[in-house]
Amino acid sequence: MMLSPPYPCWDVIGQVTWGSCQRMPWLVARRYLSATPASPPTIITRFLLRLSQQFYDVEQFLNWSSTFRNRLVRRKNLFYGYAKQNYGDNIAAAYYILSLKGSFRFAGQTEWFRPNARGRFSYEFMSFPDSMIEDVDLSDTPINCDGLDNIVSQLQLRRLTLRGCPEVDGWFLTRLHIFSDTLEELDISHCPRVTVGALCALQHLRKLRHLDISGLPSVHNPGLLRILVEEMLPHCLVAGAEYSQGLEDTMQTNIQQTSINLQLQSTAPEAQPHAEESGQTSTQRQGQTQ
């Protein structure tokens, strides 16, 4: 007796399940690209997202692009253990900063070490193995919380610029407590992942004297944020946010609510005589009825 072939519906269900599993990583990536306020998509990204809704090839291409980008960020933020073991903490930290196309300055020196437009740099910094880094500029670099392990040994760090870094978030700012005794100036302006809650991690930076929080897309009320930061760090000068920024909408809302309450209060006395008249009429009616 020959067995009948499996039902066709099971093949359809298997294909749908397999297709859903294949689409799941890209659905997560697409939700990140389109919904998160941390990194608003560009025109090209929005165009590709539009095409991905109709063509699976474009969807697969964007999935590969997102995976490749994440791998690239992880590779650039690896721990430089070999350089640390053979050349010391200072040289390893300097090499990591230059490899990210950042710049730095050793303590007690005026010369800045920075790569050229192609990302190439000179190895003259290896002549100062005993000098610690004092100023670091990592603007527009993919540094993240893991890459911070390469510079935590620089306990004389006074200025740190992270302007426009897309991977700087709350976890990154939490780890800055290592520099609580030395860090005096911090620039986190235009960092898309820095939120109001992430800034609470800066309360441990007791020596901080200047903080730039301008252009944070995840912050909708910069004026109120400045007040909160100044309460948290009373000796720190907060730049990049005015007290009036974001408070105008709140004031307009309060004014509208106050006007509504006044209107309600003005109509309330008018309703009371009507109620009394209706009460007298009902009493008169009851007397007439009796």
Side-chain angles (χ1 to χ4, degrees):
M1 180 176 180
M2 296 182 60
L3 296 176
S4 60
Y7 293 102
C9 63
W10 292 108
D11 295 337
V12 175
I13 295 174
Q15 293 177 1
V16 172
T17 305
W18 175 249
S20 301
C21 294
Q22 286 182 330
R23 290 167 57 89
M24 186 59 66
W26 165 239
L27 290 176
V28 176
R30 185 171 62 182
R31 186 182 299 112
Y32 168 78
L33 289 173
S34 59
T36 178
S39 57
T42 60
I43 297 177
I44 298 178
T45 303
R46 291 197 298 267
F47 176 71
L48 293 175
L49 289 174
R50 182 76 176 185
L51 291 178
S52 65
Q53 298 176 0
Q54 301 178 1
F55 303 99
Y56 291 104
D57 295 338
V58 178
E59 180 178 326
Q60 190 66 24
F61 169 75
L62 291 179
N63 189 12
W64 290 339
S65 177
S66 178
T67 303
F68 176 76
R69 178 185 176 278
N70 293 333
R71 290 181 180 178
L72 183 62
V73 170
R74 288 196 299 267
R75 183 173 63 84
K76 288 185 175 182
N77 287 278
L78 292 176
F79 181 67
Y80 285 45
Y82 177 81
K84 179 179 180 180
Q85 182 178 1
N86 291 274
Y87 302 101
D89 295 336
N90 302 332
I91 300 300
Y95 182 76
Y96 168 73
I97 295 171
L98 292 176
S99 65
L100 290 182
K101 298 182 179 181
S103 59
F104 67 91
R105 182 181 63 84
F106 285 119
Q109 299 185 12
T110 58
E111 180 184 2
W112 280 77
F113 295 90
R114 53 173 53 92
N116 56 18
R118 294 185 176 181
R120 299 179 180 178
F121 51 87
S122 174
Y123 288 88
E124 296 180 358
F125 64 92
M126 299 185 67
S127 303
F128 308 96
D130 298 329
S131 299
M132 302 192 73
I133 297 175
E134 188 176 62
D135 292 353
V136 175
D137 186 358
L138 289 167
S139 300
D140 301 317
T141 61
I143 184 175
N144 61 7
C145 185
D146 297 331
L148 195 60
D149 292 333
N150 293 293
I151 61 176
V152 293
S153 60
Q154 304 304 305
L155 299 180
Q156 294 185 12
L157 185 64
R158 296 179 56 191
R159 298 180 183 87
L160 179 60
T161 303
L162 301 170
R163 180 182 178 89
C165 293
E167 303 296 330
V168 172
D169 53 5
W171 293 104
F172 186 96
L173 298 181
T174 302
R175 297 204 58 191
L176 292 182
H177 71 87
I178 302 173
F179 310 110
S180 59
D181 296 330
T182 59
L183 191 62
E184 298 179 359
E185 297 183 12
L186 178 62
D187 185 356
I188 54 175
S189 60
H190 301 279
C191 291
R193 295 191 179 183
V194 174
T195 60
V196 177
L199 290 174
C200 296
L202 301 180
Q203 60 181 338
H204 303 289
L205 302 179
R206 298 183 295 271
K207 295 295 185 65
L208 196 63
R209 295 295 179 265
H210 187 274
L211 176 64
D212 193 344
I213 58 173
S214 60
L216 298 179
S218 299
V219 176
H220 303 289
N221 200 329
L224 181 59
L225 178 62
R226 178 177 178 177
I227 296 174
L228 295 176
V229 174
E230 289 178 347
E231 289 290 336
M232 183 176 61
L233 301 171
H235 302 290
C236 180
L237 175 62
V238 181
E242 300 296 335
Y243 293 111
S244 60
Q245 291 182 350
L247 297 179
E248 296 178 356
D249 298 337
T250 306
M251 294 177 62
Q252 291 179 358
T253 304
N254 294 334
I255 292 174
Q256 292 177 358
Q257 186 65 32
T258 304
S259 62
I260 293 174
N261 294 335
L262 291 175
Q263 291 178 0
L264 293 176
Q265 292 177 2
S266 62
T267 55
E270 296 179 357
Q272 185 175 0
H274 293 289
E276 293 177 354
E277 292 177 0
S278 62
Q280 292 176 359
T281 305
S282 61
T283 304
Q284 293 177 356
R285 291 179 178 177
Q286 289 179 2
Q288 293 177 357
T289 305
Q290 293 176 356

